[in-house]
Amino acid sequence: MSFPIDRPRRLRRTENMRRLVRENRLDPSDFIQPLFIVPGENIKKEISSLPGQFHWSVDRVVEIAERCHKAGVPGVILFGIPTHKDEVGCQAYDDHAEVQSAVRAIKKSVPDLLVITDVCLCEYTSHGHCGAIHENEVDNDATFELLAKTALSHARAGADIVAPSDMMDGRIAVIRQALDDGGFENIPILSYAVKYASAYYGPFRIAVDSAPQFGDRRGYQMDPANAEEALREVELDLEEGADMIMVKPGIAYLDILHTVKTKFNRVTAAYQVSGEYAMIEAAAQRGWIDRKRVILESLLAFKRAGADFVLTYHAAEAAEWLKEN
Ligand code: PBG
Ligand code: ZN
């Protein structure tokens, strides 16, 4: 069948016709809101590299957690900024550090809201790398113990899901074992299975002061040129016990997201990262793009590509827009 019998425009003529044939929809339940927790009291301070996003102290973070919950966002993911950084990232696995305290505060005031914790060391290490350093290299196996301790500490604080983002080989199995041994066999692991060595993380590294002090992350995060390798990463993490997998960054890697979802048919998340957020906000500020439409169009792209949910700095706001309609 071809023109003039087939005229695709027939199904685009009115809003109700378009609604009827729409293939993908955004819903507040599609989003996870990242939050940054800092030491101190009564702090809600705008992050220079992420306008509209804030550093929150533990006593104030409940404000934003409640806003997310009210908007229908199912969960938040926490990142911490420590009071001091050291060689082995001690505060990552300190039960009384900022993230652990924020988990307890949020679970106390908004118990239904899922609290996910990012399990990594780079925010906590003086060298800024995601693992333990041995002879100027990031030592894969020496990092296991630190990651396991971090995940356990988060689980003890009450985290609902732990999300390792370090990209060490074999860490999912180690974290699974540690959680099970600690009696947390019901806590799922959201693995940053496919995480590229990306320049799009720039604003995040400014926000948490986690830029590597020597070298870069290309020795553990993936080469942006590689697609087949992503499937291998996912396969390994699933074998090791990942309950959900993530592809990161977002828009620039939609091909990977789509292939991963199609090949494995497992719960797959996408992370629309800080650089993507910053680019939208910067262009919108200059009046070069329609901010709301670009945000919703970008988020819809993740759904269309196959994401089950999206970690996005626009989560609370987008969910509020969707709720209004
Ligand atoms: C920590 C981590 C990073 C991000 C999430 N977890 C930064 C990095 O790998 O350098 C990036 C998030 C963003 O850019 O929004 N490993
Ligand atoms: Zn890291």
Side-chain angles (χ1 to χ4, degrees), residues 36-86:
F36 297 97
I37 319 296
V38 291
E41 268 171 46
N42 196 25
I43 296 167
K44 175 189 178 184
K45 187 167 182 285
E46 190 166 37
I47 299 169
S48 62
S49 56
L50 294 167
Q53 301 297 308
F54 297 85
H55 280 140
W56 299 92
S57 54
V58 171
D59 59 329
R60 299 244 351 228
V61 74
V62 164
E63 253 172 73
I64 180 74
E66 279 170 355
R67 179 182 165 202
C68 290
H69 185 57
K70 243 170 105 188
V73 170
V76 295
I77 181 164
L78 306 187
F79 297 94
I81 288 116
T83 48
H84 76 276
K85 306 190 185 225
D86 59 36

Side-chain angles (χ1 to χ4, degrees), residues 120-123 129-130 165-166 195 217:
C120 203
L121 300 170
C122 53
E123 292 119 270
H129 279 289
C130 303
S165 70
D166 52 285
K195 181 175 179 182
R217 301 211 205 291

